[in-house]
Amino acid sequence: MHRVLSFQMARGLGESSEFVTKRMCFSFLFSVGFICLLCGFLLGRFASERSIEFRAQRRRLELDGNGLKHNEHLQQFLLQKLGESSYQTSWTNSISKEDIETLKIGEVLSDLPIFHQIVTNGSFVLATSHGSRERDRFVILSASGNGIDIALELAKVLNQLRVEHNWKPRRTLIFCLFLGSLDICPTMMSNFIRHKIVAYIALYDDNLQGNGSFISAGSDVIQSIILQEVKIIRNLNYQNNNIFDLDNQAYQKIVFPRLALDIPHAVISFMKNNNTVNNESFKSHRIPLMQLIGDTIWRLSESLVFHWNVKYFNDTVNNVLETINVSTFLDIKDEIKENVDKLMSEVQVLNQRIDTTDLSKSLDTRIMNDILMDLDRSLLCPDKYFRSKTDLASFHILSEQSPFMLSYLSDLQQCYNAAVQLLQEW
């Protein structure tokens, strides 16, 4: 009996040993699989977090400097290439066979991949480069004569950025190049485009050939952007600082008329001393002018949000009002000053909201930009012929004895009041 029990116990121990060995194998395999699964999960999570962090960092870089910082090297490339540009043949207003010349311009632009659409019709060429982020917002460059030279040179450099660095404009760029003295570009724009225009920059041949000081006229917001760009370009061309002399107080007294447009715009001009107009004058300021236009177009296209620096507007309006001394106009003069003060206060609030806008939210930035553009249109305050009622050039034309002066000041007061109400309602 004892032997039998010993035998059974020995057999039981062997079977138990065999059973434990199989269980350990399965446990080991299960443990290894679980560890692999856990490591895979942790590795995937780490990779995902790194990817999210990388995208967030990239997004922060894209937003830095109002969206201009991460492309600063391309902006410098643009200015450098424009600064090295040589003088080309001028497309003057004396050209005959306009259809042939527009075909030549169209052929030049058609060879540039940056443009998606070229329209050649009669005396003008329309070239469109679609925006990558805000395709339904438009920055337009209108040019004639020597202005066409600047536009074509700028188009070639922008195309070089497109080919070599895969750059695409944030907003849609439209180059409208026309022959003759009449700017027909606004009539070529559909109503949809007209209401979505961010800025309309005009380079008219006759305005570019003056040999005097630089002058910019236009809507208040776009003009302030032009004047900020002037200071930047002036620092690049320290040898030609006198071309863009804005520190002279006389500049505040020189007011050119605005264009008959109800859209944000600026027209570039040079003063004509003794009515002297020649191509040599244009050659002398061609390079800094190209850099000014190029950097302005770049900033209008690439900036996430726009700002209105109201200093020039405030100084100019107050300088004009200070010249009114006739007792008949003193009451309305005070009303205008009161509205201007209210406007400055409301714009300060608007600028604070713009500064605190979350730039990562594209819808918020578009809303802010649209509000500022609506304000710019409101301040133009066009009549039925699209002539601006707030154009201070009209004040300098009218004398204090003119029967139209009171009507002009009344319109000025009402327009500024409407702009204040626009901001208050918003």
Side-chain angles (χ1 to χ4, degrees), residues 87-259:
Y87 186 75
Q88 304 293 327
T89 303
S90 175
W91 305 82
T92 62
N93 291 330
S94 61
I95 292 176
S96 58
K97 301 180 180 179
E98 291 182 347
D99 54 341
I100 297 178
E101 297 303 331
T102 53
L103 286 174
K104 289 182 179 179
I105 297 173
E107 289 174 359
V108 172
L109 296 175
S110 297
D111 291 335
L112 306 179
I114 191 174
F115 292 111
H116 301 89
Q117 183 179 11
I118 308 291
V119 176
T120 302
N121 187 358
S123 60
F124 75 93
V125 179
L126 208 63
T128 303
S129 177
H130 295 313
S132 60
R133 302 288 184 88
E134 299 182 33
R135 184 168 175 170
D136 61 340
R137 296 296 184 272
F138 304 91
V139 178
I140 300 177
L141 178 62
S142 171
S144 67
N146 284 305
I148 295 179
D149 291 330
I150 293 177
L152 291 179
E153 194 65 33
L154 175 59
K156 292 176 183 178
V157 176
L158 291 177
N159 185 71
Q160 192 173 354
L161 287 175
R162 173 73 178 92
V163 173
E164 297 181 9
H165 301 279
N166 196 33
W167 173 79
K168 298 177 183 179
R170 180 182 184 87
R171 300 179 179 91
T172 296
L173 301 181
I174 298 179
F175 283 44
C176 184
L177 314 180
F178 64 95
L179 303 177
S181 57
L182 180 62
D183 184 0
I184 61 174
C185 296
T187 63
M188 299 299 104
M189 309 296 172
S190 66
N191 288 333
F192 171 78
I193 292 179
R194 285 180 67 93
H195 287 91
K196 302 294 184 179
I197 292 176
V198 172
Y200 186 96
I201 309 299
L203 297 175
Y204 300 149
D205 185 62
D206 186 57
N207 291 9
L208 301 179
Q209 297 189 46
N211 57 0
S213 302
F214 168 83
I215 296 296
S216 135
S219 60
D220 297 299
V221 175
I222 301 303
Q223 188 177 19
S224 74
I225 294 175
I226 292 286
L227 296 181
Q228 291 178 55
E229 284 297 316
V230 164
K231 295 179 180 179
I232 295 173
I233 302 304
R234 184 176 58 180
N235 293 333
L236 293 178
N237 296 272
Y238 58 89
Q239 294 179 342
N240 295 316
N241 275 346
N242 59 325
I243 294 177
F244 297 133
D245 185 10
L246 301 184
D247 294 331
N248 190 341
Q249 292 183 356
Y251 184 84
Q252 302 287 344
K253 301 177 182 178
I254 302 173
V255 181
F256 270 32
R258 293 169 171 169
L259 301 178

Side-chain angles (χ1 to χ4, degrees), residues 65-79 82 114 139 154 157-159 161-162 165 167-171 173 175 201 225 229 290-304 306:
N66 197 17
L68 299 175
K69 194 69 175 178
H70 77 293
N71 276 338
E72 188 175 13
H73 62 291
L74 300 182
Q75 186 178 13
Q76 295 303 319
F77 178 88
L78 172 72
L79 293 172
L82 291 176
I114 191 174
V139 178
L154 175 59
V157 176
L158 291 177
N159 185 71
L161 287 175
R162 173 73 178 92
H165 301 279
W167 173 79
K168 298 177 183 179
R170 180 182 184 87
R171 300 179 179 91
L173 301 181
F175 283 44
I201 309 299
I225 294 175
E229 284 297 316
M290 278 201 308
Q291 291 177 320
L292 172 65
I293 299 304
D295 207 42
T296 299
I297 296 296
W298 174 276
R299 190 171 298 275
L300 289 169
S301 170
E302 297 301 298
S303 296
L304 296 177
F306 301 122

